[in-house]
Amino acid sequence: MITPLMPYPAALLMTKETRVLVVADLHIGWEIALSEKGIHVPTQMPKLLQKLKTLISSYKPKILLIIGDVKHTVATAEISEWHDVPDFFTEFKAYVKEIHLIRGNHDGNLDPLLPEGIKTLPSSGTIIEDVGFFHGHRWPSPALLKCKTLVMGHVHPVVGFRDPAGFRITKQVWVKANCNKEQLTRILLEKNKIKIENNPQETLLKHYGIKPKTFQLFIMPSFNEYLGGKPLNEKNSNEEVKSEKIVGPILRSDAIDLENAEIYLLDGTFLGTLSQLKALA
Ligand SMILES: [Mn+2]
């Protein structure tokens, strides 16, 4: 079972054998990318590190699982990241037994920055007990369909509100959406170029030896709270909603019911469904 660690943008997965602390979207080096554009923000690294240390000392996980976007610059590594990223991993190796890392779209050229012993996993995801984790900029593997719950990052979900004076505030949120497992099975098989015979379930069983069980998807808030994001409840034109930049393929598919997704603040407050919140944007 996976539990959000309120009020932190983190989750804990407890199995019989192990405890896994899950975080997404650290974007180390984010401030430096901004400073190159002339916007100077003091480094947020010490705060991020402290927040993670607090969580580790409270929950004593054996594994730290980062579900993508450790660093900020996409294809290359900035000079500062040559220090900050290795420092980050070296420091946290002392606190947890294992660090596992799913590659995100910002994790290009990451390998030279990783110290020994960090386990890297593909962006198509990994399975721990009955939970499937993936980054979200690409489709998850059909193998993840055997999990009841999927967890992704990448979106940095926030919702926006406008007060009567016109001020705008945005808040980081958790998103819990229902999945249509039949549709998701069909799509993931198609994306893997597997021809569907009879029906998707049978084909999945034939190729992967599993039955689809996925009924819900959690979108994790970014661990780096300074990043911001595009409010999910903003009224968009249809083209914008479908734009690849905003969400990632799985959320654009009909298999995920984003309109009726439940939206929670980091402290656990239930705000309503996404469609209800659209009225307040
Ligand atoms: Mn990402």
Side-chain angles (χ1 to χ4, degrees):
M1 196 176 88
I2 185 156
T3 323
L5 296 177
M6 294 173 272
Y8 294 96
L12 189 70
L13 175 64
M14 283 195 282
T15 71
K16 279 187 200 108
E17 295 83 35
T18 194
R19 294 159 75 84
V20 187
L21 178 66
V22 188
V23 298
D25 297 286
L26 274 72
H27 289 256
I28 293 169
W30 155 86
E31 321 78 334
I32 292 100
L34 268 185
S35 78
E36 281 172 1
K37 291 180 185 152
I39 303 161
H40 297 280
V41 179
T43 179
Q44 304 300 329
M45 272 295 283
K47 286 185 205 161
L48 280 185
L49 297 183
Q50 193 48 53
K51 190 163 63 163
L52 200 51
K53 279 179 203 163
T54 304
L55 283 167
I56 289 171
S57 61
S58 308
Y59 296 100
K60 301 185 175 48
K62 194 177 137 203
I63 301 171
L64 172 64
L65 170 65
I66 303 170
I67 62 172
D69 289 354
V70 171
K71 69 184 186 68
H72 187 70
T73 55
V74 175
T76 59
E78 297 281 335
I79 297 291
S80 61
E81 290 172 346
W82 285 103
H83 302 291
D84 287 348
V85 175
D87 286 354
F88 170 83
F89 284 105
T90 305
E91 187 164 1
F92 279 93
K93 267 176 73 179
Y95 292 95
V96 287
K97 201 151 177 257
E98 293 171 38
I99 300 178
H100 298 188
L101 172 64
I102 295 174
R103 278 172 201 283
N105 51 313
H106 285 255
D107 294 326
N109 204 16
L110 185 65
D111 291 322
L113 305 181
L114 296 178
E116 290 279 290
I118 309 294
K119 185 172 174 186
T120 56
L121 301 159
S123 59
S124 58
T126 191
I127 297 170
I128 305 175
E129 209 167 64
D130 63 349
V131 184
F133 298 92
F134 64 110
H135 180 60
H137 66 304
R138 294 205 188 121
W139 294 98
S141 161
L144 268 62
L145 287 163
K146 77 166 196 181
C147 304
K148 289 181 185 159
T149 302
L150 299 183
V151 179
M152 65 177 270
H154 183 57
V155 176
H156 315 164
V158 298
V159 293
F161 304 98
R162 206 175 284 279
D163 80 358
F167 291 112
R168 186 71 188 279
I169 55 161
T170 60
K171 288 280 187 191
Q172 283 194 286
V173 292
W174 287 88
V175 179
K176 181 186 173 191
N178 286 327
C179 302
N180 179 322
K181 66 183 177 189
E182 286 79 21
Q183 251 169 306
L184 193 57
T185 303
R186 177 183 296 280
I187 294 166
L188 295 185
L189 290 171
E190 280 169 7
K191 295 295 164 189
N192 281 270
K193 303 200 164 45
I194 295 166
K195 192 172 175 291
I196 292 164
E197 305 151 41
N198 299 326
N199 66 65
Q201 272 88 333
E202 260 180 54
T203 310
L204 185 72
L205 191 62
K206 187 179 160 194
H207 286 262
Y208 289 86
I210 55 170
K211 287 183 181 159
K213 294 201 185 115
T214 307
F215 72 93
Q216 61 179 359
L217 169 77
F218 287 98
I219 308 173
M220 284 195 74
S222 63
F223 196 72
N224 187 335
E225 68 207 89
Y226 302 95
L227 285 176
K230 190 170 167 52
L232 291 173
N233 60 331
E234 222 167 51
K235 291 177 195 96
N236 295 306
S237 66
N238 272 343
E239 300 82 77
E240 246 187 300
V241 172
K242 296 229 155 75
S243 147
E244 199 152 321
K245 270 189 179 161
I246 303 169
V247 279
I250 193 167
L251 299 185
R252 291 194 304 275
S253 75
D254 295 333
I256 309 296
D257 185 4
L258 211 48
E259 283 301 296
N260 295 305
E262 296 173 8
I263 310 291
Y264 296 86
L265 292 177
L266 300 199
D267 69 3
T269 308
F270 174 58
L271 292 179
T273 64
L274 187 58
S275 60
Q276 286 167 339
L277 295 174
K278 280 186 177 169
L280 304 173

